[in-house]
Amino acid sequence: MIYYVNAAASFQGDGSENRPFRHIQDAASVAKPGDEVVVAPGVYREYVDPKNAGRPDARIIYRSEKKLGAVITGAEKLEDWERYQGTVWTARVRNGIFGDYNPYTTYVYGDWYFAGKGRHTGAVYLNDRMLYEARTLEDCLKAEKSPYSWRPEESVYQWYAEQDGDETVFYANFQDKDPNKENVEINVRRECFMPQQEGIGYITVSGFVVTKAATTWAPPAAFQDCMIGPHWSKGWIIEDCEISNSKC
């Protein structure tokens, strides 16, 4: 069986070529050993949790119809920015968008992690480039170059977030950029393509762009949090994919 997915479909279909699903997860919920999921070019803002495993002789294949044409992202656009002070702008989102995992209250932390709790699993992106997280709003306003950055000139693009009731308030130093004229996104989902259950084996993921997830530290003996991965399953093939901007 071949299931088709197209984010641009005008209505939710049944997965056939003429009536494709709109979400990859719809196909991931029904695909069984030997099935193939063909995904049309587009941006898929969703978390894909494969429900069924393949077999050594009958893999389940997820394939981008055009190589690197289908983008699975853990981010959402953040719009309606207002100027706060100088080159710093501010915007708000209701925390309900994060579900039960708020990347802007969750720190990168875990066993064998020695840097302390100072950075969140969330991130802010300007035109697909991750901004640097400031420790305070004052630091975000100053936006000094980091001596530890591989690209110090880019480290002046900084963000800071704080909680206000049931909202997350963002501040970002966009320098000479107007965020309402640029593509600004924030991490919303923890993973992009990863089964919740163990043992979902013999999966092929081919030709996707996978980007922007609020993953946390993954020590060797603990839960392997990752943007795309098998979750203690075997027989996976991840091929011809472009993978970027996993927070940790």
Side-chain angles (χ1 to χ4, degrees), residues 5-233:
V5 182
N6 191 333
S10 57
F11 57 88
Q12 172 71 307
D14 56 10
S16 63
E17 188 170 11
N18 294 327
R19 301 181 70 246
F21 291 132
R22 295 183 66 183
H23 304 287
I24 302 171
Q25 182 57 49
D26 295 321
S29 297
V30 297
K32 292 183 169 56
D35 290 345
E36 182 175 9
V37 177
V38 178
V39 183
V43 178
Y44 296 82
R45 298 184 185 277
E46 60 177 299
Y47 160 56
V48 182
D49 175 14
K51 298 300 183 182
N52 300 311
R55 301 194 308 264
D57 62 337
R59 308 181 65 80
I60 299 177
I61 299 172
Y62 295 82
R63 177 172 60 84
S64 176
E65 183 179 50
K66 178 182 178 182
K67 186 177 177 181
L68 304 183
V71 180
I72 306 174
T73 176
E76 296 287 342
K77 287 181 176 293
L78 183 53
E79 301 173 325
D80 299 324
W81 289 85
E82 297 180 358
R83 192 180 294 275
Y84 175 72
Q85 183 177 323
T87 56
V88 174
W89 299 65
T90 187
R92 291 171 173 260
V93 297
R94 297 191 68 83
N95 290 335
I97 192 175
F98 306 122
D100 59 0
Y101 179 85
N102 186 336
Y104 304 95
T105 60
T106 305
Y107 288 100
V108 176
Y109 192 71
D111 294 341
W112 298 12
Y113 182 82
F114 304 111
K117 291 184 177 180
R119 296 288 186 264
H120 292 92
T121 60
V124 178
Y125 303 87
L126 173 65
N127 298 329
D128 293 325
R129 184 171 294 279
M130 186 188 293
L131 275 61
Y132 287 64
E133 182 177 1
R135 290 185 179 272
T136 66
L137 177 55
E138 290 73 19
D139 288 344
C140 186
L141 287 163
K142 293 178 183 177
E144 297 176 343
K145 289 184 180 180
S146 169
Y148 309 107
S149 173
W150 288 353
R151 298 185 178 94
E153 67 280 0
E154 294 179 2
S155 65
V156 297
Y157 292 86
Q158 299 184 17
W159 67 273
Y160 173 75
E162 60 187 15
Q163 299 300 304
D164 182 15
D166 61 355
E167 293 183 322
T168 296
V169 185
F170 291 91
Y171 302 89
N173 197 321
F174 294 111
Q175 299 299 319
D176 60 345
K177 302 291 194 304
D178 180 345
N180 294 313
K181 297 179 180 178
E182 310 289 340
N183 179 35
V184 180
E185 297 176 286
I186 58 171
N187 282 350
V188 170
R189 288 169 286 280
R190 184 170 179 169
E191 296 104 7
C192 290
F193 196 114
M194 178 179 171
Q196 284 295 304
Q197 300 298 317
E198 299 177 17
I200 307 297
Y202 300 101
I203 301 286
T204 295
V205 184
S206 181
F208 291 86
V209 173
V210 185
T211 188
K212 302 184 181 77
T215 51
T216 191
W217 176 254
F223 173 65
Q224 296 299 293
D225 191 31
C226 54
M227 186 160 58
I228 177 171
H231 191 181
W232 301 115
S233 306

